[in-house]
Amino acid sequence: MTESTGHRSAVDTPWDAPVAELPDHVTPRWCAQTLTTAAGNAIVRSHLEPRSEDRRYRLAWERLWRMISFDPRWRRMTRDMLIGDRDRARRALDAGGLSAKDATRVRTYLHATSRALERIERESAAPLAWASASYAEVGPRTRETIEALALTVDDYLSGQATREDLRAVLAGLDLNPAQRDVPEQARERARAHRRPHAR
């Protein structure tokens, strides 16, 4: 923006806000403590698009957007913020009076917010996005496997799937214990999840 508007807040002109650093390790705990706060919003706005090709950064960036997309509250509040930013950017362009440099910066931010909103929409439909943000740390193939098992078990419990359906899913995933030499330690870990205290 122009010099006269340089003092305005990031909420007024988010495209002018200083860059806030993204931590190397984006975890569910960090997200719970940071996202939807002023500091978290600044980080999200600073990283609508990747700022580096560094592998560690890219992993953190991808995890940030997956975490946002996998949690209903973070997803809703981030979407609301970005929609508000997008509307402000459009109004700033429609009002005119911007220098060519400022207009370019606003258009770039407008494009980035639109892409971020599309990303949230896409990621929120990914395997296990409905389950918990903690699954954002798991690879997509593993999430697909867990999702297939969880939903088939749920269908079985609600009477929409048969024992044969369960066996077919296990076979299709190449995870049929009846056809494997399963160690007792593995069965004990599974039993632990059936106990009342198991989470």
Side-chain angles (χ1 to χ4, degrees):
M1 298 297 289
T2 61
E3 289 295 324
S4 63
T5 59
H7 65 282
R8 297 174 69 186
S9 73
V11 174
D12 295 323
T13 57
W15 47 86
D16 277 337
V19 174
E21 293 301 317
L22 180 67
D24 288 341
H25 302 289
V26 176
T27 64
R29 181 176 181 180
W30 177 86
C31 289
Q33 294 171 340
T34 310
L35 289 179
T36 73
T37 67
N41 290 345
I43 291 171
V44 169
R45 286 177 167 128
S46 294
H47 301 277
L48 296 178
E49 299 278 19
R51 304 185 70 90
S52 168
E53 290 303 316
D54 175 76
R55 184 175 180 277
R56 179 179 291 184
Y57 168 81
R58 284 301 297 253
L59 288 173
W61 182 85
E62 290 169 3
R63 187 166 289 177
L64 170 71
W65 287 101
R66 235 179 281 123
M67 294 275 183
I68 289 170
S69 302
F70 278 31
D71 184 275
R73 179 174 174 268
W74 302 338
R75 180 170 64 242
R76 183 183 68 254
M77 296 184 76
T78 301
R79 283 186 76 256
D80 289 349
M81 178 187 74
L82 294 179
I83 289 170
D85 285 358
R86 186 178 63 184
D87 292 345
R88 274 185 285 277
R90 286 172 175 166
R91 286 195 298 270
L93 291 171
D94 291 344
L98 297 172
S99 68
K101 182 177 179 180
D102 289 341
T104 296
R105 189 158 58 245
V106 176
R107 286 191 192 95
T108 299
Y109 188 80
L110 178 59
H111 178 69
T113 57
S114 294
R115 283 177 56 87
L117 288 165
E118 291 168 4
R119 185 181 312 119
I120 291 171
E121 188 74 17
R122 184 175 63 252
E123 289 285 359
S124 67
L128 289 185
W130 51 269
S132 163
S134 63
Y135 287 103
E137 298 182 292
V138 179
R141 290 285 298 278
T142 302
R143 283 189 277 116
E144 287 180 18
T145 298
I146 295 169
E147 183 176 73
L149 290 170
L151 294 181
T152 303
V153 168
D154 186 60
D155 282 347
Y156 175 74
L157 293 174
S158 64
Q160 298 180 61
T162 65
R163 292 171 65 89
E164 289 69 30
D165 292 327
L166 286 174
R167 289 192 185 96
V169 169
L170 289 172
L173 295 172
D174 197 21
L175 278 174
N176 191 345
Q179 299 174 348
R180 304 284 182 178
D181 184 14
V182 180
E184 184 55 33
Q185 295 93 324
R187 294 197 180 275
E188 183 56 35
R189 286 193 295 270
R191 292 185 192 109
H193 287 282
R194 303 174 203 162
R195 294 171 188 153
H197 70 271
R199 296 186 62 183

Coordinates of all heavy atoms in Angstrom, one line a residue, residues 57-127:
Y57 N 11.1 -27.3 4.9 CA 10.0 -26.3 4.9 C 8.8 -26.9 4.2 O 7.6 -26.7 4.6 CB 10.5 -25.1 4.2 CG 9.4 -24.1 3.9 CD1 8.9 -23.2 4.9 CD2 8.8 -24.1 2.6 CE1 7.8 -22.4 4.6 CE2 7.7 -23.2 2.4 CZ 7.2 -22.4 3.4 OH 6.2 -21.5 3.1
R58 N 9.0 -27.5 3.0 CA 7.8 -28.0 2.2 C 7.0 -29.0 3.0 O 5.8 -29.0 3.0 CB 8.3 -28.6 0.9 CG 8.7 -27.6 -0.1 CD 7.6 -26.7 -0.5 NE 6.4 -27.3 -1.1 CZ 6.1 -27.3 -2.3 NH1 6.8 -26.6 -3.2 NH2 5.0 -27.9 -2.8
L59 N 7.7 -29.9 3.8 CA 7.0 -30.8 4.6 C 6.1 -30.1 5.7 O 5.0 -30.5 6.0 CB 8.0 -31.8 5.3 CG 8.6 -32.8 4.4 CD1 9.7 -33.6 5.1 CD2 7.6 -33.8 3.8
A60 N 6.7 -29.1 6.3 CA 6.0 -28.3 7.3 C 4.8 -27.6 6.7 O 3.7 -27.6 7.3 CB 7.0 -27.4 8.0
W61 N 5.1 -27.0 5.5 CA 4.0 -26.3 4.8 C 2.8 -27.2 4.5 O 1.7 -26.9 4.7 CB 4.6 -25.6 3.6 CG 3.6 -24.8 2.8 CD1 3.3 -23.5 3.0 CD2 2.8 -25.3 1.7 NE1 2.3 -23.1 2.1 CE2 2.0 -24.1 1.3 CE3 2.7 -26.4 1.0 CZ2 1.1 -24.2 0.2 CZ3 1.8 -26.5 0.0 CH2 1.0 -25.4 -0.4
E62 N 3.1 -28.4 3.9 CA 2.1 -29.3 3.6 C 1.3 -29.8 4.8 O 0.1 -29.9 4.8 CB 2.7 -30.5 2.8 CG 3.2 -30.2 1.4 CD 4.1 -31.3 0.8 OE1 4.2 -32.3 1.4 OE2 4.6 -31.0 -0.3
R63 N 2.1 -30.0 5.9 CA 1.4 -30.5 7.1 C 0.5 -29.4 7.7 O -0.6 -29.7 8.2 CB 2.5 -30.9 8.1 CG 1.9 -31.6 9.3 CD 2.9 -32.3 10.1 NE 3.4 -33.5 9.5 CZ 4.4 -34.3 9.9 NH1 5.0 -34.0 11.0 NH2 4.7 -35.4 9.2
L64 N 0.9 -28.2 7.6 CA 0.1 -27.0 8.1 C -1.2 -27.0 7.4 O -2.3 -27.0 8.1 CB 0.8 -25.7 7.9 CG 0.0 -24.5 8.1 CD1 -0.2 -24.3 9.6 CD2 0.7 -23.2 7.5
W65 N -1.2 -27.1 6.1 CA -2.5 -27.0 5.4 C -3.3 -28.3 5.6 O -4.6 -28.2 5.6 CB -2.2 -26.7 3.9 CG -1.8 -25.3 3.8 CD1 -0.6 -24.8 3.7 CD2 -2.7 -24.2 3.9 NE1 -0.6 -23.4 3.7 CE2 -1.9 -23.0 3.8 CE3 -4.1 -24.0 4.1 CZ2 -2.4 -21.7 3.9 CZ3 -4.6 -22.7 4.2 CH2 -3.8 -21.6 4.1
R66 N -2.7 -29.4 5.7 CA -3.5 -30.7 6.0 C -4.1 -30.6 7.4 O -5.3 -30.9 7.6 CB -2.6 -31.9 5.9 CG -3.1 -32.9 5.0 CD -2.2 -34.1 4.8 NE -1.1 -33.9 4.0 CZ 0.2 -34.0 4.3 NH1 0.5 -34.4 5.5 NH2 1.2 -33.8 3.5
M67 N -3.3 -30.1 8.4 CA -3.9 -29.9 9.7 C -5.1 -29.0 9.7 O -6.1 -29.3 10.3 CB -2.8 -29.4 10.7 CG -1.6 -30.3 10.9 SD -2.0 -31.5 12.3 CE -0.4 -32.3 12.3
I68 N -5.0 -27.9 9.1 CA -6.1 -26.9 9.0 C -7.3 -27.6 8.4 O -8.4 -27.5 8.9 CB -5.6 -25.7 8.1 CG1 -4.6 -24.8 8.9 CG2 -6.9 -24.9 7.7 CD1 -4.0 -23.7 8.1
S69 N -7.0 -28.3 7.3 CA -8.1 -28.9 6.5 C -8.8 -30.1 7.3 O -10.0 -30.4 7.1 CB -7.6 -29.4 5.2 OG -7.1 -28.3 4.4
F70 N -8.1 -30.8 8.1 CA -8.6 -32.0 8.8 C -9.4 -31.7 10.1 O -10.0 -32.5 10.6 CB -7.4 -32.9 9.2 CG -7.0 -33.8 8.0 CD1 -7.0 -33.4 6.7 CD2 -6.4 -35.0 8.3 CE1 -6.6 -34.1 5.7 CE2 -6.0 -35.8 7.2 CZ -6.1 -35.4 5.9
D71 N -9.2 -30.4 10.6 CA -9.9 -30.1 11.8 C -11.1 -29.2 11.5 O -10.9 -28.1 11.0 CB -9.0 -29.4 12.8 CG -9.7 -29.2 14.2 OD1 -10.3 -28.1 14.3 OD2 -9.5 -30.0 15.1
P72 N -12.3 -29.5 11.9 CA -13.5 -28.7 11.5 C -13.4 -27.2 12.0 O -13.7 -26.3 11.2 CB -14.7 -29.4 12.2 CG -14.2 -30.8 12.3 CD -12.7 -30.7 12.6
R73 N -12.9 -27.0 13.2 CA -12.8 -25.7 13.8 C -11.8 -24.9 13.1 O -12.0 -23.7 12.6 CB -12.6 -25.7 15.3 CG -12.5 -24.3 15.9 CD -12.4 -24.4 17.4 NE -12.1 -23.1 18.0 CZ -10.9 -22.7 18.2 NH1 -9.8 -23.4 17.9 NH2 -10.7 -21.5 18.8
W74 N -10.6 -25.4 12.9 CA -9.5 -24.7 12.3 C -9.8 -24.4 10.8 O -9.5 -23.4 10.3 CB -8.2 -25.5 12.3 CG -7.7 -25.9 13.7 CD1 -8.1 -25.2 14.9 CD2 -6.9 -26.9 14.1 NE1 -7.5 -25.8 15.9 CE2 -6.7 -26.9 15.5 CE3 -6.2 -28.0 13.4 CZ2 -5.9 -27.8 16.2 CZ3 -5.4 -28.9 14.1 CH2 -5.3 -28.8 15.5
R75 N -10.5 -25.4 10.2 CA -10.9 -25.3 8.8 C -11.9 -24.1 8.6 O -11.7 -23.2 7.8 CB -11.5 -26.6 8.3 CG -11.9 -26.5 6.8 CD -12.3 -27.9 6.3 NE -13.4 -28.5 7.0 CZ -13.4 -29.6 7.7 NH1 -12.3 -30.3 7.8 NH2 -14.5 -30.1 8.2
R76 N -12.9 -24.1 9.5 CA -13.9 -23.1 9.4 C -13.4 -21.7 9.6 O -13.6 -20.7 8.9 CB -15.1 -23.4 10.4 CG -16.2 -22.4 10.3 CD -17.2 -22.7 11.4 NE -16.8 -22.4 12.7 CZ -16.4 -23.3 13.6 NH1 -16.5 -24.6 13.3 NH2 -16.0 -23.0 14.8
M77 N -12.6 -21.5 10.7 CA -12.1 -20.2 11.1 C -11.0 -19.7 10.1 O -11.0 -18.5 9.7 CB -11.5 -20.3 12.5 CG -12.5 -20.5 13.5 SD -11.9 -20.5 15.2 CE -11.8 -18.7 15.5
T78 N -10.2 -20.6 9.5 CA -9.3 -20.2 8.5 C -10.0 -19.8 7.2 O -9.6 -18.8 6.6 CB -8.2 -21.4 8.2 OG1 -7.6 -21.7 9.4 CG2 -7.2 -20.9 7.2
R79 N -11.0 -20.6 6.8 CA -11.8 -20.2 5.6 C -12.4 -18.9 5.8 O -12.4 -18.0 4.9 CB -12.9 -21.3 5.4 CG -12.4 -22.6 4.7 CD -13.5 -23.5 4.4 NE -14.2 -23.0 3.2 CZ -15.4 -22.4 3.1 NH1 -16.0 -22.2 4.2 NH2 -15.9 -22.0 2.0
D80 N -13.0 -18.6 7.0 CA -13.7 -17.3 7.2 C -12.7 -16.2 7.1 O -12.9 -15.1 6.5 CB -14.3 -17.3 8.6 CG -15.6 -18.2 8.7 OD1 -16.0 -18.7 7.6 OD2 -16.0 -18.5 9.8
M81 N -11.5 -16.4 7.7 CA -10.4 -15.4 7.6 C -10.0 -15.1 6.2 O -9.9 -13.9 5.7 CB -9.2 -15.8 8.4 CG -8.1 -14.8 8.4 SD -6.6 -15.4 9.2 CE -6.0 -16.6 8.0
L82 N -9.8 -16.2 5.4 CA -9.3 -16.0 4.0 C -10.4 -15.4 3.1 O -10.1 -14.6 2.2 CB -8.8 -17.3 3.5 CG -7.6 -17.9 4.2 CD1 -7.2 -19.2 3.6 CD2 -6.4 -16.9 4.1
I83 N -11.6 -15.8 3.4 CA -12.7 -15.2 2.6 C -12.8 -13.7 2.9 O -13.0 -12.9 1.9 CB -14.1 -15.9 2.9 CG1 -14.0 -17.3 2.3 CG2 -15.3 -15.1 2.3 CD1 -15.2 -18.2 2.7
G84 N -12.7 -13.3 4.1 CA -12.6 -11.9 4.5 C -11.5 -11.2 3.8 O -11.6 -10.1 3.3
D85 N -10.3 -11.8 3.8 CA -9.1 -11.2 3.2 C -9.4 -11.1 1.7 O -9.0 -10.1 1.1 CB -7.9 -12.1 3.4 CG -7.3 -12.0 4.8 OD1 -7.9 -11.2 5.6 OD2 -6.3 -12.7 5.1
R86 N -9.9 -12.1 1.1 CA -10.2 -12.0 -0.4 C -11.2 -10.9 -0.7 O -11.0 -10.2 -1.7 CB -10.8 -13.4 -0.8 CG -11.0 -13.5 -2.3 CD -11.5 -14.9 -2.7 NE -12.8 -15.1 -2.1 CZ -13.5 -16.3 -2.2 NH1 -13.0 -17.3 -2.8 NH2 -14.7 -16.4 -1.7
D87 N -12.2 -10.7 0.1 CA -13.1 -9.6 -0.1 C -12.5 -8.3 0.0 O -12.7 -7.4 -0.8 CB -14.3 -9.7 0.9 CG -15.2 -11.0 0.6 OD1 -15.1 -11.5 -0.5 OD2 -16.0 -11.3 1.5
R88 N -11.6 -8.1 1.0 CA -10.9 -6.9 1.2 C -10.0 -6.6 0.0 O -9.8 -5.4 -0.4 CB -10.0 -6.9 2.5 CG -10.8 -6.5 3.7 CD -10.0 -6.4 5.0 NE -9.7 -7.8 5.5 CZ -10.5 -8.5 6.2 NH1 -11.6 -8.0 6.6 NH2 -10.1 -9.7 6.7
A89 N -9.3 -7.6 -0.5 CA -8.4 -7.4 -1.6 C -9.2 -7.0 -2.9 O -8.8 -6.1 -3.6 CB -7.7 -8.7 -1.9
R90 N -10.4 -7.6 -3.1 CA -11.2 -7.2 -4.2 C -11.7 -5.8 -4.1 O -11.7 -5.0 -5.1 CB -12.4 -8.2 -4.3 CG -12.0 -9.6 -4.8 CD -13.2 -10.5 -4.7 NE -12.9 -11.8 -5.3 CZ -13.6 -12.9 -5.2 NH1 -14.7 -12.9 -4.4 NH2 -13.3 -14.0 -5.8
R91 N -12.1 -5.4 -2.9 CA -12.5 -4.0 -2.7 C -11.4 -3.0 -2.9 O -11.6 -1.9 -3.5 CB -13.1 -3.8 -1.3 CG -14.4 -4.5 -1.1 CD -15.1 -4.0 0.2 NE -14.4 -4.3 1.4 CZ -14.6 -5.4 2.1 NH1 -15.5 -6.3 1.7 NH2 -13.9 -5.6 3.2
A92 N -10.2 -3.4 -2.5 CA -9.0 -2.5 -2.7 C -8.8 -2.3 -4.2 O -8.5 -1.2 -4.6 CB -7.8 -3.1 -2.0
L93 N -8.9 -3.4 -4.9 CA -8.6 -3.3 -6.4 C -9.8 -2.5 -7.0 O -9.5 -1.6 -7.9 CB -8.5 -4.6 -7.0 CG -7.3 -5.4 -6.6 CD1 -7.4 -6.9 -7.1 CD2 -6.0 -4.8 -7.2
D94 N -11.0 -2.7 -6.6 CA -12.1 -2.0 -7.2 C -12.1 -0.6 -6.9 O -12.6 0.3 -7.7 CB -13.5 -2.7 -6.7 CG -13.7 -4.1 -7.2 OD1 -13.0 -4.4 -8.2 OD2 -14.5 -4.8 -6.7
A95 N -11.6 -0.2 -5.7 CA -11.6 1.2 -5.3 C -10.6 2.0 -6.2 O -10.8 3.3 -6.3 CB -11.3 1.3 -3.9
G96 N -9.6 1.4 -6.7 CA -8.6 2.1 -7.5 C -7.7 2.9 -6.6 O -7.7 2.8 -5.4
G97 N -6.9 3.7 -7.2 CA -6.0 4.6 -6.4 C -4.7 3.9 -6.0 O -3.8 4.5 -5.3
L98 N -4.5 2.6 -6.3 CA -3.3 1.9 -6.0 C -2.2 2.1 -7.0 O -2.5 2.2 -8.2 CB -3.5 0.4 -5.8 CG -4.5 -0.1 -4.8 CD1 -4.8 -1.6 -5.0 CD2 -4.0 0.2 -3.4
S99 N -1.0 2.2 -6.5 CA 0.1 2.2 -7.5 C 0.2 0.9 -8.2 O -0.4 -0.1 -7.8 CB 1.4 2.5 -6.8 OG 1.8 1.4 -6.0
A100 N 0.9 0.8 -9.3 CA 1.0 -0.4 -10.1 C 1.7 -1.5 -9.2 O 1.2 -2.7 -9.2 CB 1.9 -0.2 -11.3
K101 N 2.7 -1.1 -8.4 CA 3.3 -2.1 -7.5 C 2.4 -2.6 -6.4 O 2.3 -3.8 -6.2 CB 4.5 -1.4 -6.9 CG 5.3 -2.3 -6.0 CD 6.6 -1.6 -5.4 CE 7.4 -2.5 -4.5 NZ 8.6 -1.8 -3.9
D102 N 1.6 -1.7 -5.8 CA 0.7 -2.1 -4.8 C -0.5 -3.0 -5.4 O -0.9 -4.0 -4.8 CB 0.1 -0.9 -4.1 CG 1.0 -0.2 -3.2 OD1 2.1 -0.8 -2.8 OD2 0.8 1.0 -2.9
A103 N -0.9 -2.6 -6.6 CA -2.0 -3.4 -7.2 C -1.5 -4.8 -7.5 O -2.2 -5.8 -7.3 CB -2.5 -2.7 -8.5
T104 N -0.3 -4.9 -7.9 CA 0.3 -6.2 -8.2 C 0.4 -7.1 -6.9 O 0.1 -8.3 -6.9 CB 1.7 -6.1 -8.8 OG1 1.6 -5.5 -10.1 CG2 2.4 -7.5 -9.0
R105 N 0.8 -6.4 -5.8 CA 0.9 -7.1 -4.5 C -0.5 -7.6 -4.1 O -0.7 -8.7 -3.6 CB 1.5 -6.2 -3.5 CG 1.8 -6.9 -2.2 CD 2.9 -6.2 -1.4 NE 2.5 -4.8 -1.1 CZ 3.2 -3.8 -1.5 NH1 4.2 -3.9 -2.3 NH2 2.8 -2.6 -1.2
V106 N -1.5 -6.8 -4.3 CA -2.9 -7.1 -3.9 C -3.4 -8.3 -4.8 O -4.0 -9.2 -4.3 CB -3.8 -5.9 -4.0 CG1 -5.3 -6.4 -3.7 CG2 -3.4 -4.8 -3.0
R107 N -3.2 -8.2 -6.1 CA -3.6 -9.3 -7.0 C -2.9 -10.6 -6.6 O -3.5 -11.7 -6.7 CB -3.3 -8.9 -8.4 CG -4.2 -7.9 -9.0 CD -4.1 -7.7 -10.5 NE -4.7 -6.5 -11.0 CZ -4.2 -5.4 -11.2 NH1 -2.9 -5.2 -11.0 NH2 -4.9 -4.3 -11.6
T108 N -1.6 -10.5 -6.3 CA -0.9 -11.7 -5.9 C -1.5 -12.4 -4.7 O -1.7 -13.6 -4.6 CB 0.6 -11.4 -5.7 OG1 1.2 -10.9 -6.9 CG2 1.4 -12.6 -5.2
Y109 N -1.8 -11.5 -3.7 CA -2.4 -12.0 -2.4 C -3.8 -12.6 -2.7 O -4.2 -13.6 -2.2 CB -2.5 -10.9 -1.4 CG -2.9 -11.4 0.0 CD1 -2.0 -12.0 0.8 CD2 -4.2 -11.3 0.4 CE1 -2.4 -12.5 2.0 CE2 -4.6 -11.8 1.6 CZ -3.7 -12.4 2.4 OH -4.1 -12.9 3.7
L110 N -4.6 -11.9 -3.6 CA -5.9 -12.4 -3.9 C -5.8 -13.8 -4.6 O -6.6 -14.7 -4.2 CB -6.6 -11.4 -4.9 CG -7.9 -11.7 -5.4 CD1 -8.9 -11.9 -4.3 CD2 -8.4 -10.6 -6.4
H111 N -4.9 -13.9 -5.5 CA -4.7 -15.2 -6.1 C -4.3 -16.3 -5.1 O -4.8 -17.4 -5.1 CB -3.6 -15.1 -7.2 CG -3.3 -16.4 -7.9 ND1 -4.2 -17.0 -8.8 CD2 -2.2 -17.2 -7.9 CE1 -3.7 -18.1 -9.2 NE2 -2.5 -18.3 -8.7
A112 N -3.4 -15.9 -4.2 CA -3.0 -16.9 -3.1 C -4.1 -17.3 -2.2 O -4.2 -18.5 -1.8 CB -1.8 -16.3 -2.3
T113 N -5.0 -16.4 -1.9 CA -6.1 -16.7 -1.0 C -7.1 -17.7 -1.7 O -7.6 -18.6 -1.1 CB -6.9 -15.5 -0.5 OG1 -7.4 -14.7 -1.6 CG2 -6.0 -14.6 0.4
S114 N -7.3 -17.4 -3.0 CA -8.2 -18.3 -3.7 C -7.6 -19.7 -3.8 O -8.3 -20.7 -3.7 CB -8.4 -17.7 -5.1 OG -9.1 -16.5 -5.1
R115 N -6.3 -19.8 -4.1 CA -5.7 -21.1 -4.1 C -5.7 -21.8 -2.8 O -5.9 -23.0 -2.7 CB -4.2 -21.0 -4.7 CG -4.2 -20.8 -6.2 CD -2.7 -20.5 -6.6 NE -1.9 -21.6 -6.3 CZ -1.7 -22.7 -7.0 NH1 -2.3 -22.9 -8.1 NH2 -0.8 -23.7 -6.6
A116 N -5.5 -21.1 -1.7 CA -5.5 -21.7 -0.4 C -6.9 -22.2 0.0 O -7.1 -23.3 0.5 CB -5.1 -20.6 0.7
L117 N -8.0 -21.4 -0.4 CA -9.3 -21.9 -0.2 C -9.6 -23.2 -1.0 O -10.3 -24.1 -0.5 CB -10.3 -20.8 -0.5 CG -10.4 -19.6 0.4 CD1 -11.1 -18.4 -0.2 CD2 -11.0 -20.0 1.7
E118 N -9.1 -23.2 -2.2 CA -9.3 -24.5 -3.0 C -8.6 -25.6 -2.4 O -9.0 -26.8 -2.4 CB -8.8 -24.2 -4.4 CG -9.6 -23.3 -5.2 CD -8.9 -22.8 -6.5 OE1 -7.8 -23.4 -6.8 OE2 -9.4 -22.0 -7.2
R119 N -7.4 -25.3 -1.8 CA -6.6 -26.4 -1.2 C -7.3 -27.0 0.0 O -7.4 -28.2 0.3 CB -5.2 -25.8 -0.7 CG -4.2 -26.8 -0.1 CD -2.9 -26.1 0.3 NE -2.4 -25.3 -0.8 CZ -2.3 -23.9 -0.7 NH1 -2.5 -23.3 0.5 NH2 -1.8 -23.2 -1.7
I120 N -7.9 -26.1 0.9 CA -8.6 -26.5 2.0 C -9.8 -27.4 1.6 O -10.1 -28.5 2.2 CB -9.2 -25.3 2.8 CG1 -8.0 -24.6 3.5 CG2 -10.2 -25.8 3.9 CD1 -8.4 -23.3 4.2
E121 N -10.5 -27.0 0.6 CA -11.6 -27.8 0.1 C -11.2 -29.2 -0.4 O -11.8 -30.2 -0.1 CB -12.3 -27.0 -1.1 CG -13.6 -27.6 -1.6 CD -14.8 -27.4 -0.7 OE1 -14.7 -26.5 0.2 OE2 -15.7 -28.1 -0.8
R122 N -10.1 -29.2 -1.1 CA -9.5 -30.5 -1.6 C -9.1 -31.4 -0.5 O -9.4 -32.5 -0.5 CB -8.4 -30.2 -2.6 CG -7.8 -31.4 -3.3 CD -6.8 -31.0 -4.3 NE -5.6 -30.3 -3.8 CZ -5.4 -29.0 -3.9 NH1 -6.2 -28.2 -4.6 NH2 -4.3 -28.5 -3.4
E123 N -8.3 -30.8 0.4 CA -7.7 -31.6 1.5 C -8.8 -32.1 2.5 O -8.6 -33.2 3.0 CB -6.7 -30.8 2.3 CG -5.4 -30.5 1.5 CD -4.5 -31.8 1.5 OE1 -4.8 -32.8 2.0 OE2 -3.4 -31.6 0.8
S124 N -9.9 -31.3 2.6 CA -10.9 -31.7 3.6 C -11.7 -32.9 3.1 O -12.4 -33.5 3.9 CB -11.9 -30.6 3.9 OG -12.6 -30.2 2.7
A125 N -11.5 -33.3 1.8 CA -12.1 -34.5 1.3 C -11.1 -35.7 1.2 O -11.5 -36.7 0.7 CB -12.7 -34.2 -0.1
A126 N -9.9 -35.5 1.7 CA -8.9 -36.5 1.6 C -9.2 -37.7 2.6 O -10.0 -37.5 3.5 CB -7.5 -35.9 1.9
P127 N -8.5 -38.8 2.4 CA -8.8 -39.9 3.3 C -8.5 -39.5 4.7 O -7.5 -38.9 5.0 CB -7.7 -41.0 2.8 CG -7.6 -40.7 1.4 CD -7.7 -39.2 1.3

